[in-house]
Structures are given as C-alpha cells and as structure tokens.
Amino acid sequence: MENPFGSMGRFLILAGLLLLVLGVILQFGEKIFGRGRLPGDILLRRGNFTFYFPLGTCLLLSIVISLVLAFLNWR
C-alpha cells in the first residue's frame, strides 16, 4: 500500500531546505556574495533621500530560480 502523504512529506522537506538556504543567504549573503554590489544595481543619493533598486540582483535571482525550477520539473 502506497503512503498517501509521501508527496506532501517530500514537499515539506524541500520547503524546509529552501527556507534554510534562504535564511543563510539573508544572514550571511552580503559577506559571501557581495549582495547589492552587482553591475546594474541602481543607487541614487540626493541629500537625505536614498533610492536603491537592485536590478542586476533581480535579474540574477530570476535566472537562478528559473534554472532551479526547470531542473526540478525535468524528469
């Protein structure tokens, strides 16, 4: 008899691992990856106003996430 909760268990394990990796990246990411210093990131400072838009970082994350999802969907 097949375990009816098998796929849910695998999903929860994967979600937990992804949350762990995300937590490590958020905690130590700037030291490891130099987050926020990629070419294409926009930083504007005018007096007491600062605007930061991480365009290069967003593009890199989009590519990485797309590759990971494509790999997970590949059979």
Side-chain angles (χ1 to χ4, degrees):
M1 181 175 219
E2 188 175 325
N3 182 0
F5 298 110
S7 63
M8 179 61 86
R10 278 180 267 157
F11 171 75
L12 289 174
I13 290 171
L14 181 63
L17 290 174
L18 288 174
L19 283 173
L20 178 70
V21 169
L22 181 63
V24 169
I25 288 173
L26 289 175
Q27 184 68 32
F28 302 109
E30 190 169 335
K31 296 175 186 173
I32 297 171
F33 301 113
R35 186 186 65 209
R37 296 185 181 101
L38 291 178
D41 289 351
I42 299 169
L43 175 64
L44 298 174
R45 290 187 179 151
R46 305 275 190 243
N48 63 351
F49 174 76
T50 301
F51 175 77
Y52 177 70
F53 184 72
L55 184 62
T57 304
C58 289
L59 290 173
L60 180 65
L61 283 176
S62 175
I63 291 169
V64 169
I65 290 171
S66 295
L67 289 173
V68 167
L69 290 176
F71 178 74
L72 290 175
N73 197 22
W74 183 64
R75 295 173 197 241

